[in-house]
Amino acid sequence: MAQPDTPTDPAPGADPADAEHTNRLIHESSPYLLQHAHNPVDWRPWGEEAFAEARRRGVPIFLSIGYSTCYWCHVMERESFEDPAVAAVMNEKFVAIKVDREERPGVDEIYMAALQTLTGQGGWPLNVFLTPPGAAGPDDPGLKPFWGGTYFPPEPRGNFPSFTMVLKGLADAWATKRDLAIQQADAVTARVRDLLAAGAEPVRLGPEPVSGALARLLAIHDITYGGFGPGPKFPQPVFLEFLLDVAPFLADDAQRGYAEAALTRSLDAMALGGMFDHVGGGFHRYSVDARWAVPHFEKMLYDQGQLLGAYARAAARYDDAFYARVARRTADHALREMRGAGGAFISAIDAEVAGREGASYVWREDEIRAALPAEDADFAVRVYRLFEGTNFTDPHHPDDPPANVLSMAKRPEALAADLGMTEAEFLNALDRVDALLLTARDRRRQPAVDDKIIAGWNGLMIAGLADAGRLLDEPRYIEAAAEAAGFVLSTLRDGAGVLHRSWRDGRLGPPAPLEDYAFLARGLLALDAALPGERGLAFRDAAIELIRRADQTFGDPEHGGWFDTRPDRRDLILRTRTTTDGAVPTGQSVMIHNLLALYDRTGDGAHLTAAGRGLASVSRAIAEAPLAPVESTRALIAVLRLDRSDERDLLGEFGVGASAPEFSAEPAHKPPVDVYASATRAAVTPGSPATVGLELRIAQGWHINAHEPGLEWLAPLDVRIVGGTGVRAVVEYPAGEPLTADWAPEGERPMVHEGSVVLTVRLERTGEAWSGRPRLLVQYQACTDTQCAEPAEAVLNVEITPE
């Protein structure tokens, strides 16, 4: 195999004498920080030394957060951080700190929430300006955010100022309007605390959040291309796991079919499209389009572990050979290309080579034909759709020749039938072609890797391998999972037994947050389920010890549940309690499931009590969050698992019955209305509103009430903004058509829409300050000629930004 690409800078760990510049990051172990160790910027790592320097000089902190496989992080480094003129401004006006978000997720979460509060958007690189310690008095710890952004270009582009303009503007504001900057920092910090840190009294969780989550998930499901929401599309393993978990609780066959169709449509689309690496196996990070055709090419360990588990579960559930094949190829890719020291797994593979995104993964037809015998080449061109023309041009290098991201139009059994082959003949030919193409691809320059070992992400991979090995009868996967677990347990804990977030080249990273304890315990419990006898029990005991330490370190004695971070983190402006799932589930929800698994296997009511308290601690957030319950799917599955009368009785015995959730597995229907938006992003500036088109497609036999239905007890069609301020939605609603209905009062004909209705939404700035993450909410009530459903809501995946 060709050697991985190296960063643009001198190689990490190179002799400083070989580079023109060397800063304090040279002493770090993170590949991302080492990539910046030879920038002319006087970078410092996150810590007391940097904070003390900011206090001494009385200047703001410029905090830049990213990760080693982040494309735009690389771009901003090349354009700005390697520029001596830009570095001179940064060094004079600020104390510059670099953070690897994968090493310090707590820092990233706080300042990402701050950026979203300030601007309504987020992403990486995450660049935030913080108050220095002592800014508001000697006892002021500082580190409060007062302004931020993501990527800044080196020169002004459209409405975007250059990075140097931003630096000079913020330095001037600090010098001349410091009081205002501190006031803004205090206000932003208070808002972030409300979002991430507030505990709350528990509420009962009935069936509504679970059925509501399913309804909303089906409402945003793309019935044409699979997945959820418009492009860009992420794999969202937590949604797939939710559908796998919730289906058994749906009593009606037709209703279960809606959920399973959404699941299998999504699994098929992701595995057939370009987001799956057909030559090497494994999944890229996300699709840049709605069709899953072209990915962003980085590969993350947490995606491999979670998707491996999801496809293995689906293969077992549906006895599906294609899903089993995808699971095996994902596992084999991880074992071949992501296995690091001691059998543990590295964190990521980069998206670019020599500044070209996807360069090692894309193909032109002449390259295919050069790598394969003629008959195999014809087969590959047909199966991988090259005959349809090219589908990829590097958006950052449009002059490069176009190429193809390989994808398949149909499942293997259907393609085999089209080609007049048996499925076995087809798969044999496909395996031969893939092996030859992989050999040719391995001779190319390879993308860089981030080879640090992250405890929690290894836990997700261990769980995926152990589950896949058990479900697919592949003992080698279970043994690989056990080897990785052994390394993490022996190497990523210090002499006091404290788990650390990461390890690289013999050096431990920071102490681990909650998610590492939770995810690693999840992997150990998967090994317990996969291994018989004493070996499995040993991993169970290790999981119990991790959970015990997590309770001691992160437990919240006042509200139950757990904080995300340790109590001794003086470098954090607050202790967060994350309740919404993202690319990975929350540590809270995984801890709850770990405890339920332990109760199932041991019958020890203490585990059930702790699970109930944990679920109660997030119950209000689940019930009240504006985009919930879709964002809390893993915690909601715990609601289903706790809906057994003996367990509710036991919870009451332990004094938490008043907080214990109740759920009667009432079947959820597929919504009779699908809501689509014409855009995924809308920029709204003063004097320059944005327009978004909406279409509501209404199932046959149903109608929805118009905005002015004519009868006051009918819920009207309505579109409004939720989740933020500073913007309003202005809509000209069509009148609808009169409906003749036996149930309507004599002489009254309610106004309704059938088939579809198209709305034009004008988004305008208001006089209020921009805050939060504004989203469009569509409310409607669907009815037949004889009955009406409860009013429903759909929150659209349209990013509304102030610029």
Side-chain angles (χ1 to χ4, degrees), residues 296-377:
H296 180 56
F297 291 91
E298 67 190 283
K299 289 182 175 180
M300 309 302 295
L301 180 63
Y302 55 75
D303 283 327
Q304 312 311 314
Q306 292 181 97
L307 291 171
L308 166 59
Y311 276 92
R313 286 185 63 190
R317 169 81 57 84
Y318 303 115
D319 191 23
D320 191 293
F322 177 50
Y323 294 160
R325 176 183 172 85
V326 173
R328 288 189 175 94
R329 298 203 66 211
T330 301
D332 291 343
H333 158 263
L335 294 174
R336 185 182 67 249
E337 297 189 28
M338 302 190 78
R339 214 169 188 188
F345 294 89
I346 65 174
S347 61
I349 301 174
D350 210 337
E352 67 171 26
V353 173
R356 262 54 180 180
E357 190 168 0
S360 62
Y361 297 107
V362 298
W363 296 84
R364 292 187 296 275
E365 185 173 342
D366 62 323
E367 294 173 322
I368 294 282
R369 294 195 178 279
L372 299 173
E375 185 176 353
D376 286 343

Side-chain angles (χ1 to χ4, degrees), residues 127-138:
N127 296 310
V128 190
F129 295 83
L130 313 181
T131 62

Side-chain angles (χ1 to χ4, degrees), residues 32 43 62-66 76 81 97-100 125-128:
Y32 177 64
W43 292 115
F62 172 71
L63 172 63
S64 184
I65 303 174
M76 193 164 179
F81 301 149
I97 297 179
K98 257 290 170 194
V99 165
D100 181 344
L126 169 57
N127 296 310
V128 190

Side-chain angles (χ1 to χ4, degrees), residues 335-421:
L335 294 174
R336 185 182 67 249
E337 297 189 28
M338 302 190 78
R339 214 169 188 188
F345 294 89
I346 65 174
S347 61
I349 301 174
D350 210 337
E352 67 171 26
V353 173
R356 262 54 180 180
E357 190 168 0
S360 62
Y361 297 107
V362 298
W363 296 84
R364 292 187 296 275
E365 185 173 342
D366 62 323
E367 294 173 322
I368 294 282
R369 294 195 178 279
L372 299 173
E375 185 176 353
D376 286 343
D378 290 341
F379 175 86
V381 168
R382 171 69 177 84
V383 169
Y384 285 138
R385 308 177 70 177
L386 278 79
F387 72 94
E388 298 177 11
T390 57
N391 63 5
F392 176 77
T393 300
D394 186 340
H396 314 293
H397 302 91
D399 294 333
D400 288 357
N404 281 84
V405 178
L406 304 186
S407 66
M408 295 167 60
K410 300 177 183 178
R411 287 170 56 105
E413 62 269 25
L415 285 173
D418 289 348
L419 295 174
M421 306 169 73

Side-chain angles (χ1 to χ4, degrees), residues 524-736:
L524 299 177
L525 290 172
L527 280 169
D528 173 36
L531 286 168
E534 293 299 320
R535 287 188 73 195
L537 289 174
F539 285 117
R540 182 194 300 178
D541 290 342
I544 291 172
E545 172 61 15
L546 282 174
I547 292 169
R548 184 188 67 80
R549 284 186 172 269
D551 282 336
Q552 291 178 344
T553 306
F554 305 102
D556 181 351
E558 180 180 358
H559 299 101
W562 306 268
F563 291 100
D564 298 328
T565 55
R566 300 171 59 88
D568 56 357
R569 291 293 302 275
R570 294 184 302 167
D571 58 325
L572 300 181
I573 59 176
L574 56 95
R575 269 188 106 183
T576 59
R577 292 176 57 96
T578 305
T579 59
T580 57
D581 300 318
V584 296
T586 67
Q588 298 245 9
S589 64
V590 176
M591 280 290 285
I592 293 168
H593 282 276
N594 290 339
L595 289 162
L596 291 174
L598 284 172
Y599 172 69
D600 286 342
R601 296 175 200 181
T602 67
D604 185 344
H607 298 312
L608 182 63
T609 300
R613 290 187 186 277
L615 188 56
S617 74
V618 298
S619 59
R620 187 172 294 275
I622 291 173
E624 295 182 356
L627 297 183
V630 173
E631 292 180 334
S632 305
T633 52
R634 294 309 301 151
L636 285 169
I637 292 302
V639 177
L640 301 183
R641 293 179 66 176
L642 282 169
D643 182 56
R644 287 176 285 193
S645 59
D646 59 330
E647 295 180 359
R648 287 203 302 274
D649 292 343
L650 185 55
L651 282 167
E653 226 174 86
F654 277 84
V656 294
S659 300
E662 296 179 349
F663 180 79
S664 37
E666 186 174 293
H669 297 259
K670 181 184 184 301
V673 179
D674 289 315
V675 185
Y676 298 90
S678 63
T680 60
R681 186 177 186 274
V684 186
T685 58
S688 181
T691 300
V692 176
L694 304 182
E695 181 182 4
L696 287 80
R697 300 177 188 173
I698 305 159
Q700 186 174 2
W702 291 81
H703 61 263
I704 64 172
N705 304 322
H707 181 63
E708 295 183 357
L711 298 176
E712 63 180 16
W713 46 270
L714 292 176
L717 173 63
D718 188 55
V719 179
R720 61 184 183 273
I721 295 291
V722 296
T725 63
V727 62
R728 63 170 169 255
V730 180
V731 186
E732 292 186 10
Y733 295 93

Side-chain angles (χ1 to χ4, degrees), residues 173-196:
W174 184 255
T176 61
K177 301 176 183 178
R178 183 171 304 188
D179 289 346
L180 292 177
I182 292 173
Q183 289 175 20
Q184 173 144 309
D186 288 339
V188 172
T189 300
R191 175 59 178 156
V192 172
R193 183 172 286 107
D194 289 342
L195 290 171
L196 298 181

